[in-house]
Amino acid sequence: QVQLVESGGGSVQAGRSLRLSCAVSGNIYGGYYMGWFRQAPGAEREGVAGMASDGNTIYSDSVKGRFTISKDDAKNILYLEINSLKPEDTAMYYCAANGGRHIRAGWYLLQKTSYNYWGQGTQVTVSS
């Protein structure tokens, strides 16, 4: 039904910036919302940014001010811009999507249980 493919990760030095991409294919009917998550080895998957069906966004406190979620509807791509990278940002980053009639942004966008479509992830490694 829905396929998500992340790209744009890599190994960079602290202070650099990256733009991750999530190519979306397939259809989600009845409205949808999307999010970005990350997971470091041995840690739980945490939500860092989300976008509601109306386009409003929410960010976790740990990344607010450095991360920006956006989309290009013409290209069917969801982006995550990461600025001022820190070593603690090192993780596998995942794009997620879910169908639903949720419209307003809320903390549900940062909860992994809110999503049932996931990409395979793209690795971001930040060295000091």
Side-chain angles (χ1 to χ4, degrees), residues 35-39 45-49 92-96 108-113 115 118:
W36 283 97
F37 290 73
R38 66 184 182 184
Q39 186 170 24
R45 190 170 300 186
E46 62 171 336
V48 296
M92 184 74 75
Y93 283 73
Y94 299 90
C95 176
Y108 73 93
L109 293 169
L110 302 180
Q111 298 174 340
K112 60 183 181 182
T113 55
Y115 300 87
W118 296 86

Side-chain angles (χ1 to χ4, degrees), residues 17-62:
S17 298
L18 283 174
R19 186 180 71 173
L20 309 183
S21 299
C22 174
V24 183
S25 62
N27 295 311
I28 303 178
Y29 301 101
Y32 67 95
Y33 52 89
M34 302 188 70
W36 283 97
F37 290 73
R38 66 184 182 184
Q39 186 170 24
E44 68 177 72
R45 190 170 300 186
E46 62 171 336
V48 296
M51 179 178 290
S53 59
D54 66 352
N56 287 319
T57 60
I58 188 171
Y59 300 90
S60 68
D61 290 337
S62 62

Side-chain angles (χ1 to χ4, degrees), residues 78-121:
L78 182 75
Y79 297 104
L80 182 68
E81 296 181 18
I82 310 175
N83 298 315
S84 302
L85 280 159
K86 304 176 180 180
E88 50 263 46
D89 293 323
T90 296
M92 184 74 75
Y93 283 73
Y94 299 90
C95 176
N98 208 84
R101 282 296 185 183
H102 296 277
I103 299 176
R104 301 177 62 185
W107 296 113
Y108 73 93
L109 293 169
L110 302 180
Q111 298 174 340
K112 60 183 181 182
T113 55
S114 297
Y115 300 87
N116 56 16
Y117 298 114
W118 296 86
Q120 293 300 305

